[in-house]
Amino acid sequence: MGDQRFRELMSEMGAAFAQADDGDEKRRQARERESQREQWLAQREAVIVEIVTTMRQHGLSIEDLT
């Protein structure tokens, strides 16, 4: 095997390892985005509950807001 072919194979192997590492990073990023989405949904739900509770305390309905 010549030096040129050896360098080509090493380059291809390096690229394959980089893609494998990239896959782990992309999965980590996806998990992080999902976690952020779940937090956002929980915050949204908490705000809605707070709004509904406040409206009930003041005797308001949806029709009062329109």
Side-chain angles (χ1 to χ4, degrees), residues 52-64:
V52 170
T53 301
T54 302
M55 288 176 66
R56 286 183 179 153
Q57 288 173 346
H58 294 284
L60 298 172
S61 69
I62 297 295
E63 290 79 28
D64 294 324

Side-chain angles (χ1 to χ4, degrees), residues 2-41:
D3 286 345
Q4 179 63 29
R5 181 65 180 141
F6 177 76
R7 281 192 283 272
E8 288 173 5
L9 290 173
M10 291 302 289
S11 177
E12 289 173 18
M13 187 170 53
F17 280 118
Q19 284 181 337
D21 289 344
D22 187 40
D24 289 340
E25 177 64 18
K26 286 182 180 178
R27 284 189 290 278
R28 184 194 65 74
Q29 290 173 351
R31 285 191 303 271
E32 186 176 320
R33 281 192 305 273
E34 182 61 26
S35 175
Q36 290 173 346
R37 181 179 179 279
E38 289 173 2
Q39 290 174 0
W40 177 80
L41 288 172

